[in-house]
Amino acid sequence: MNAPDGLPPLGEERPVPMPEVAASRLPNGLAVQVVPWRGVPLASARLVVRGGLSDDPSGRPGLARLLAAALREGTASRSGADLADLAQEAGGDLSAGAGPDSLTIGAYGLAARLPLLLDLVADVARRAAFPADGVARARHLAHEELETSESEPSFLAVRAFAREVYGTHPYATIAPTAASIDAVTPGLLAAEARRRLRPERALLLVAGDVKPEEAIAAAGNAFGDWAAGGSAPPPVAAPAPTGGPRRILVLDRPGSVQTNLMVGNLGFPRTDRDARALELAMTIYGGSFTSRLVQNLREDKGYTYSPGAAASWLEGCGTVRSFAAVRTEVTGAALNEVLYEMERMATTEATDEEMDRAFRREAGSLAIALQTAAGVADELARLWVLGLSPDEIARFVPGLAEVTKGEVRRVSGRVFGTGSARIVAVGDAAAIRSELGTFGEVVEGET
Amino acid sequence: MTIRRQILVAAAATALLLGGPAAAQEVKGEEHVLPNGMKLLLVHRPDEPSVSAGWVAKVGSANERVGMTGISHLFEHMMFKGTKTLGSKDPKRDLEIIEEQETLRGEMRAEESKMRAAWRRGEVDDLMKPENKTARYKELEAKFDALVKEQRDLLVKNEFDRIYTKNGASGMNAFTSYDMTAYFITVPKNKLELWFWMESDRLKDPVFREFYAERDVVYEERRLRVESTPTGKLDEAFDSIFWHSTPYTWPVIGYASDVANITKQQADDYFATYYAPNNLTAVLVGDFDKAEALKLATEYFGRIPRGKTPPPEVTTLPTKWEYDLRFEGEADTNPTAEIRWRTVPFQHKDSYALSILAELLNGRTGRLYKSMVLPADAVATQAYAVHNGFVGPAKYAGSFVIGAEAKEGQLPPEVAAKALAEIERLKKEPVPADELRKVKNNVAANSFRRLSSNFPILLQLMVNEAYGDWTEINSGPKKLEAVTAEDVARVAKTYLVKENQATALVSRKAGSAPSADDAALAEVPEQVRPMIKQALQQLAAEKDAAKLKEGLAQMETQAAQVPPQMKKGFELLVTKARERLAELEKAGDKK
């Protein structure tokens, strides 16, 4: 493609600057990383603990989320309201959350109040008290969130897809159930907090207008005498491959004007040698506005406003999935195009232009993500959970530049096979059932 | 109480701390106006090696009218469709095709007019259905589709996006709201000229290719955001009631049939008026040379001619109503209550006190959470308060909103009453100094946070500029800091009154609560749970209001004698009986 008249010339790609990271480890095993960042007088402290939903005991789906929600409800010496007031007084807030592979407790505020921010995080991590009224409140909120989520077709599709791909593996759970919410008690949460929150499986990240040596000393004050009892949960196992023929799960949403489609399968861990090639493949396939899936489904056919695709990176093994909310009448036609684009990725090479564009987009996005302290901290937390060192930031773009078209095609062959794809369609079953039947075995499930 | 003292002392210290850095954080913008009327705002920040760049058109859905609602948002889509230079392999033939398409569309519109007349007479139902289209229309449609196909073969799809991406730019996007349409991107610092070239090209010589196909994409966006969500249509209806007699009464995305009927001629006229340089402000934030940027702006944006007619001023002023407007609906959602008041627009002298008032109520440390969510007899699981939300409607009128999601077993009217009680308390009792101090500290820390990198600064500057004054980014925090306890009580008494008030009560659609009773039952001691469960089932099946009323009265007289292990279950039964009675009485009223 020739450049349009008058277009200023394309400049050289500039390297992504590696942010300064001071790493240390306390004697109790707690890893500490500090990202000094000048500019505004703010700082954040977050404790990332390995194991999230993946650590939930069988029969207690989504417990990690309930645990995170109840953590802020009070500690041995402070009520939930006191914790919130103190965080506000430091000019910020206190948060807790759970993902598939981690639990996070964070606080942000004025840099001058870093000792208080660290004290709040440590207090919650080490001495959460799970008062009965706070736990009841967390349960109510969890019920409400679940009900709100269940009224959204996109949530139903994501939840069903995880179950289809992961089967009995803990990653099959993305949210608690009504029964598992009801079953939560203060005693259970206290035992889980003791079992999971331990220095040797945690990283403390401090980012902002702080001096590394001072931040590390403050971390020592807040966490130095933190010790865990009993044994830590084992690392997450790899999920079993799905195998078998293609399967289409239909969840009925009578009268729905759109069908939420989700198509995909297992991917692989981020430590795999093909990980960078997969990043590029996803950008070319469905991860950007000029990607094949968006061009085909939205721009060419006008079936949908929001098609896309993504690879999720999880410690055990993530997924590779395509998604789109399409008009009910074109459900079959849209699925046909998704499968076609997947096959095309797996069997033909990308063009030089696609490769170049995907590379520049990935490199540019990383450079911009690393322009704020919060962006750097997010990236470091992600890498740590996946078992990668901070140096990966500096290695990423040069590594990406070496990926060849052949590698992109090879990795596409690994993840875009449509023969055993798992497909979820949430929509008006009566209107879409028979059309979808032409693509494989249709199973109907409960929403 | 030790904790209270600790907060007081620390709060004073925080205030001192904020005094210094807050002043240092002033955004130093340099303003220029080009001869064609386009405004340029330059903010030099060497901290990051990139430039966040954008421009804002001072037009949004408030500038529309019924019949062409949604055109501002459709335009946001059209601006990515290319120019005379970008987007087509054969620009000459491409323009010819567009002409031919328009001729056909004119004939199709004449048929559409007949189809609408048939709809008014009740001869056909949904005009979108193929079987309801006239034979002539189908014939024209086939011809039109052939032209679309020919045009597609000439397209260089999304060349705009491709060029930016190739140059390492990221975050290209745009948004449309009631009062503005903004376009933005972050480019490496050595790609500034590219940005001027690309943006001036699409403002000077845009070509609205695939106009009718893009309408379909917007149609799908509407389905996704409004029609497929549990409360989308309900929210739209309440908005229209609350904002009646203001230019905010229709949705930004537009009414479905309006979006489907916007013509290219209307789009061309709209562009000529509202996207003329005299209605635009470009903003650059980041690491660049100011003299160089001004030179590039003059060279590239300077090429665009000034608009022939200035954009008409919006003259509609909100009328006052003199009653509490009520809106009730049912949806597949948790029961909620929301109360809104008409207040004041952007930069009104009372808007700062109203913002502080909202913060006193909002969040986990706010009064709504403390009175509605935390106590043992909580009525809600979440609560919020906001005054003129970010990019919300605020140029021509304002709104103060409080709301909550009901805790299981609570009804929306009770939740609304509890929330209103907090407003009444604010009118009567002055806010304690330490509470006000704490909230102001947090507001100040938040405004810092938004100044910590290029993109959020760009966003705020564009938004404030569209509302009327970009310097709000510097003056706003000072005015918020100056708000007193007396101001808070005064604005509550002035604006948060019945004459300005509208209440939306949304209850759950019958049969859509999978685990509602189970959740409440979980709190009942295990030994009595089966008994209570059975009683609840009987209650749900009860159809006789009079009988239920009698039973309820009896239960209430027994309340004091209930043994402790039965207390929770008894309370649940009473609550459910009241709910059931309310339902039966409501159903009775309708008959």
Side-chain angles (χ1 to χ4, degrees):
Chain A
M1 192 177 67
N2 294 327
D5 293 344
L7 183 73
L10 212 63
E12 274 301 296
E13 190 58 35
R14 290 166 322 121
V16 174
M18 177 65 199
E20 183 187 342
V21 182
S24 173
R25 190 179 287 275
L26 300 186
N28 61 5
L30 176 68
V32 182
Q33 292 177 4
V34 182
V35 182
W37 205 270
R38 64 190 181 82
V40 280
L42 300 171
S44 68
R46 73 173 96 169
L47 186 75
V48 188
V49 186
R50 273 190 221 288
L53 292 160
S54 58
D55 263 356
D56 291 342
S58 70
R60 299 201 179 280
L63 183 58
R65 289 218 194 285
L66 297 159
L67 175 62
L71 277 172
R72 288 188 301 169
E73 292 292 345
T75 65
S77 61
R78 292 164 174 148
S79 72
D82 290 344
L83 290 170
D85 280 337
L86 284 167
Q88 190 181 46
E89 181 257 296
D93 203 0
L94 182 67
S95 64
D101 286 325
S102 63
L103 286 167
T104 303
I105 302 166
Y108 67 85
L110 292 163
R113 306 307 306 269
L114 181 66
L116 174 61
L117 297 174
L118 286 168
D119 175 24
L120 290 173
V121 172
D123 198 22
V124 167
R126 302 175 58 180
R127 292 176 287 271
F130 305 104
D133 60 336
V135 172
R137 205 157 35 239
R139 271 201 309 255
H140 274 295
L141 190 59
H143 269 300
E144 191 177 279
E145 281 169 358
L146 179 64
E147 284 160 26
T148 303
S149 300
E150 284 179 336
S151 66
E152 301 282 349
S154 54
F155 171 84
L156 298 176
V158 172
R159 184 171 70 179
F161 181 75
R163 289 175 181 165
E164 284 292 286
V165 172
Y166 287 112
T168 56
H169 189 274
Y171 286 155
T173 301
I174 65 158
T177 61
S180 74
I181 296 170
D182 286 341
V184 160
T185 62
L188 172 68
L189 292 178
E192 281 295 299
R194 275 196 303 276
R195 187 174 77 95
R196 298 179 186 218
L197 302 171
R198 354 174 26 103
E200 78 277 12
R201 52 189 332 231
L203 164 71
L204 178 71
L205 257 168
V206 177
D209 193 5
V210 297
K211 292 197 174 76
E213 59 284 4
E214 286 176 17
I216 290 169
N221 291 338
F223 291 95
D225 56 353
W226 184 19
S231 50
V236 61
T242 45
R246 185 189 293 168
R247 196 176 121 106
I248 304 162
L249 177 69
V250 173
L251 302 184
D252 192 16
R253 204 167 171 258
S256 179
V257 293
Q258 288 189 323
T259 303
N260 280 67
L261 275 177
M262 194 153 277
V263 185
N265 217 322
L266 287 177
F268 45 76
R270 181 71 162 67
T271 42
D272 191 286
R273 70 189 174 114
D274 278 343
R276 290 185 187 118
L278 182 58
E279 294 271 10
L280 281 189
M282 293 313 292
T283 305
I284 293 168
Y285 169 69
S288 64
F289 193 75
T290 47
S291 67
R292 295 176 177 189
L293 207 58
V294 179
Q295 291 306 303
N296 183 339
L297 288 180
R298 170 176 161 150
E299 295 295 290
D300 200 38
K301 310 287 187 318
Y303 289 162
T304 168
Y305 167 69
S306 54
S312 63
W313 297 114
L314 299 183
E315 193 189 353
C317 177
T319 62
V320 170
R321 59 183 198 259
S322 315
F323 42 83
V326 305
R327 285 207 305 279
T328 301
E329 317 83 78
V330 296
T331 302
L335 177 58
N336 191 42
E337 294 303 324
V338 172
L339 295 172
Y340 162 76
E341 292 296 352
M342 287 171 69
E343 287 291 344
R344 193 154 76 92
M345 284 300 294
T347 54
T348 61
E349 273 187 1
T351 65
D352 289 334
E353 205 240 336
E354 283 178 316
M355 289 290 290
D356 184 47
R357 195 151 30 87
F359 167 73
R360 285 175 182 265
R361 184 189 160 83
E362 289 290 306
S365 304
L366 180 66
I368 284 164
L370 297 178
Q371 287 194 352
T372 62
V376 174
D378 285 346
E379 191 61 27
L380 290 171
R382 240 190 320 266
L383 292 173
W384 187 80
V385 168
L386 295 173
L388 295 162
S389 84
D391 304 339
E392 174 63 16
I393 293 179
R395 285 197 295 262
F396 183 72
V397 173
L400 212 56
E402 283 169 18
V403 174
T404 64
K405 281 195 279 188
E407 284 166 333
V408 167
R409 181 170 156 188
R410 189 186 68 218
V411 76
S412 297
R414 282 177 71 184
V415 300
F416 286 121
T418 60
S420 59
R422 291 296 181 264
I423 299 167
V424 172
V426 181
D428 191 343
I432 60 176
R433 187 185 291 127
S434 65
E435 257 191 286
L436 291 176
T438 58
F439 296 93
E441 184 202 355
V442 171
V443 190
E444 300 214 19
E446 297 269 317
T447 58
Chain B
M1 260 171 88
T2 47
I3 186 117
R4 182 140 287 259
R5 194 175 315 124
Q6 192 183 344
I7 288 170
L8 260 175
V9 175
T14 312
L16 283 176
L17 265 170
L18 285 169
Q25 285 299 318
E26 184 123 327
V27 173
K28 293 196 182 68
E30 197 177 291
E31 201 180 298
H32 299 274
V33 180
L34 303 180
N36 59 9
M38 185 160 178
K39 213 182 198 189
L40 181 69
L41 181 60
L42 304 174
V43 179
H44 182 234
R45 276 185 94 245
D47 316 7
E48 301 165 38
S50 65
V51 183
S52 289
W55 51 273
V56 60
K58 290 157 215 167
V59 59
S61 61
N63 303 82
E64 297 167 356
R65 60 171 172 77
V66 172
M68 50 190 285
T69 61
I71 192 172
S72 303
H73 171 252
L74 177 63
F75 239 86
E76 177 208 319
H77 282 242
M78 290 317 300
M79 287 305 288
F80 293 90
K81 287 295 170 185
T83 67
K84 285 183 185 162
T85 335
L86 297 174
S88 179
K89 284 179 255 181
D90 185 348
K92 190 167 157 282
R93 176 65 195 137
D94 181 67
L95 289 177
E96 284 166 14
I97 293 174
I98 292 175
E99 282 294 307
E100 289 165 38
Q101 285 177 342
E102 279 314 296
T103 313
L104 273 177
R105 275 284 156 181
E107 289 183 61
M108 288 167 84
R109 273 192 284 276
E111 289 302 304
E112 282 164 357
S113 179
K114 288 182 205 162
M115 283 148 53
R116 266 193 299 274
W119 178 85
R120 286 194 293 269
R121 290 190 300 269
E123 292 161 13
V124 296
D125 51 1
D126 186 352
L127 292 180
M128 302 297 278
K129 283 189 195 160
E131 63 265 33
N132 289 338
K133 292 176 177 167
T134 63
R136 175 66 184 147
Y137 187 87
K138 285 181 195 163
E139 210 176 285
L140 293 164
E141 202 171 34
K143 282 191 195 169
F144 185 83
D145 289 345
L147 280 175
V148 169
K149 197 176 169 309
E150 191 191 343
Q151 189 183 31
R152 287 232 162 122
D153 292 340
L154 301 177
L155 287 183
V156 185
K157 285 291 266 185
N158 297 303
E159 196 173 13
F160 204 79
D161 188 300
R162 283 167 202 258
I163 291 176
Y164 268 138
T165 312
K166 250 182 151 170
N167 280 275
S170 82
M172 176 170 90
N173 217 328
F175 70 83
T176 312
S177 75
Y178 297 90
D179 297 315
M180 68 198 79
T181 315
Y183 299 79
F184 46 85
I185 193 163
T186 298
V187 296
K189 67 182 220 181
N190 57 352
K191 302 289 164 61
L192 197 58
E193 184 170 2
L194 174 79
W195 181 79
F196 278 108
W197 188 86
M198 298 276 283
E199 301 301 323
S200 61
D201 192 42
R202 68 167 156 173
L203 282 166
K204 185 170 164 286
D205 293 318
V207 178
F208 304 135
R209 293 184 183 100
E210 300 184 284
F211 182 79
Y212 299 95
E214 200 60 29
R215 275 190 346 194
D216 295 345
V217 170
V218 170
Y219 212 82
E220 282 313 299
E221 186 178 354
R222 193 187 144 82
R223 287 187 194 228
L224 179 82
R225 295 193 201 280
V226 182
E227 275 142 50
S228 289
T229 58
T231 61
K233 290 188 204 169
L234 221 56
D235 295 340
E236 210 170 84
F238 183 50
D239 275 344
S240 91
I241 288 174
F242 176 75
W243 289 115
H244 78 82
S245 79
T246 76
Y248 301 135
T249 186
W250 50 84
V252 173
I253 199 157
Y255 297 132
S257 58
D258 279 3
V259 173
N261 284 292
I262 292 169
T263 68
K264 189 169 164 299
Q265 184 57 50
Q266 285 171 330
D268 290 342
D269 295 344
Y270 177 95
F271 182 82
T273 308
Y274 293 106
Y275 278 65
N278 41 301
N279 200 41
L280 308 177
T281 299
V283 186
L284 296 179
V285 183
D287 190 8
F288 58 88
D289 181 82
K290 281 195 265 187
E292 170 76 4
L294 184 58
K295 191 181 121 273
L296 290 170
T298 311
E299 181 182 338
Y300 288 103
F301 285 140
R303 308 182 288 176
I304 313 164
R306 180 186 280 270
K308 289 195 179 76
T309 45
E313 193 189 336
V314 171
T315 51
T316 313
L317 294 178
T319 55
K320 260 198 171 227
W321 59 76
E322 269 150 35
Y323 30 83
D324 175 13
L325 286 176
R326 289 265 161 167
F327 178 90
E328 288 188 32
E330 281 187 351
D332 178 11
T333 182
N334 300 311
T336 58
E338 183 168 293
I339 305 152
R340 299 187 191 176
W341 292 269
R342 292 262 189 96
T343 59
V344 295
F346 175 76
Q347 281 191 335
H348 184 286
K349 60 186 171 52
D350 287 338
S351 65
Y352 307 94
L354 284 160
S355 294
I356 294 290
L357 174 52
E359 287 312 306
L360 282 162
L361 295 167
N362 195 35
R364 275 174 78 92
T365 53
R367 289 186 175 201
L368 292 179
Y369 190 88
K370 285 181 175 166
S371 68
M372 299 175 73
V373 182
L374 270 185
D377 59 345
V379 296
T381 51
Q382 289 184 73
Y384 55 89
V386 60
H387 183 244
N388 287 352
F390 189 66
V391 310
K395 188 169 180 172
Y396 305 108
S399 64
F400 190 96
V401 181
I402 61 174
E405 289 205 18
K407 190 173 165 183
E408 208 51 61
Q410 299 292 325
L411 291 173
E414 295 160 8
V415 175
K418 194 94 183 172
L420 281 173
E422 284 305 313
I423 300 289
E424 289 311 308
R425 188 153 81 90
L426 277 162
K427 291 179 189 170
K428 290 188 194 109
E429 300 164 21
V431 178
D434 62 333
E435 189 184 358
L436 185 62
R437 182 68 263 153
K438 206 156 52 83
V439 163
K440 286 189 343 189
N441 281 352
N442 234 41
V443 167
N446 275 327
S447 43
F448 268 5
R449 208 159 284 124
R450 291 194 296 265
L451 297 181
S452 61
S453 77
N454 293 344
F455 180 66
I457 297 176
L458 169 76
L459 202 57
Q460 286 176 86
L461 288 172
M462 289 195 299
V463 168
N464 287 337
E465 172 68 8
Y467 283 141
D469 183 3
W470 68 266
T471 65
E472 177 70 12
I473 200 171
N474 295 326
S475 58
K478 288 171 201 149
K479 291 181 187 165
L480 288 165
E481 176 59 33
V483 170
T484 65
E486 295 74 50
D487 292 334
V488 171
R490 179 179 55 78
V491 295
K493 280 185 266 192
T494 310
Y495 300 102
L496 309 189
V497 294
K498 274 225 155 59
E499 289 74 17
N500 284 329
Q501 184 173 321
T503 306
L505 305 172
V506 178
S507 46
R508 184 188 295 283
K509 206 180 258 179
S512 67
S515 62
D517 284 354
D518 296 350
L521 268 173
E523 290 195 15
V524 174
E526 225 166 285
Q527 65 272 31
V528 296
R529 212 176 285 164
M531 192 174 98
I532 300 290
K533 193 165 184 173
Q534 204 187 357
L536 283 175
Q537 282 162 354
Q538 284 168 357
L539 200 58
E542 183 59 66
K543 292 198 175 71
D544 185 348
K547 201 173 141 195
L548 190 59
K549 207 166 187 173
E550 199 180 304
L552 190 60
Q554 212 168 30
M555 281 168 85
E556 277 161 351
T557 56
Q558 293 165 355
Q561 289 107 49
V562 173
Q565 77 274 17
M566 286 293 293
K567 209 163 176 317
K568 278 266 177 206
F570 186 83
E571 279 166 10
L572 179 62
L573 272 180
V574 172
T575 314
K576 290 285 168 187
R578 285 195 191 124
E579 258 179 63
R580 183 68 195 144
L581 186 60
E583 278 175 42
L584 289 173
E585 285 175 345
K586 202 172 140 194
D589 289 346
K590 278 180 190 157
K591 274 173 206 161

